[in-house]
Amino acid sequence: MTPTPDSDIASILKEHRDSIDRLDAILVYTLAERFRRTKAVGEIKAANGLPPADPKREAHQIGRLQHLARSADLDPEFAAKVLNFIIAEVIRHHEQHRK
């Protein structure tokens, strides 16, 4: 196997890193949109005396996300941890609306 010249390695790394940067931006904007939607849900819940958490929906969403993760070749437990973190933050926001 012939070694790859340093300039080629740098170019390949830059291409991957540029792609990672674009994906990070997509994640941030997607999370921002998700939180705008969950904020609206929280306001509706607060106005109607509904609890901030919905354990049945949350469990369903975690299962759904784990299924999606498997089909995307992503560790489903990692996906569940990420969603649990997001759900906890959403519930915290919903609780603030109730005050």
Side-chain angles (χ1 to χ4, degrees):
M1 180 181 210
T2 307
T4 306
D6 287 345
S7 63
D8 289 348
I9 292 171
S11 176
I12 292 166
L13 284 173
K14 182 179 181 336
E15 182 179 326
H16 285 296
R17 287 174 176 160
D18 288 347
S19 180
I20 290 166
D21 291 349
R22 284 189 298 276
L23 292 167
D24 286 345
I26 290 167
L27 284 171
V28 166
Y29 282 99
T30 300
L31 283 171
E33 178 61 22
R34 189 184 196 288
F35 276 95
R36 279 190 285 278
R37 298 296 178 151
T38 58
K39 179 181 179 192
V41 168
E43 290 168 351
I44 293 167
K45 286 181 173 185
N48 292 281
L50 298 171
D54 184 346
K56 186 175 177 181
R57 172 160 167 77
E58 293 155 17
H60 173 77
Q61 288 299 97
I62 289 168
R64 187 178 78 77
L65 193 70
Q66 287 178 311
H67 175 75
L68 290 171
R70 282 185 204 93
S71 69
D73 198 25
L74 180 68
D75 178 1
E77 291 310 307
F78 170 75
K81 287 178 186 177
V82 169
L83 187 58
N84 276 316
F85 177 79
I86 291 169
I87 289 170
E89 188 65 13
V90 167
I91 291 170
R92 188 178 71 77
H93 290 182
H94 288 187
E95 288 170 344
Q96 289 175 343
H97 284 290
R98 295 175 61 90
K99 295 178 181 181

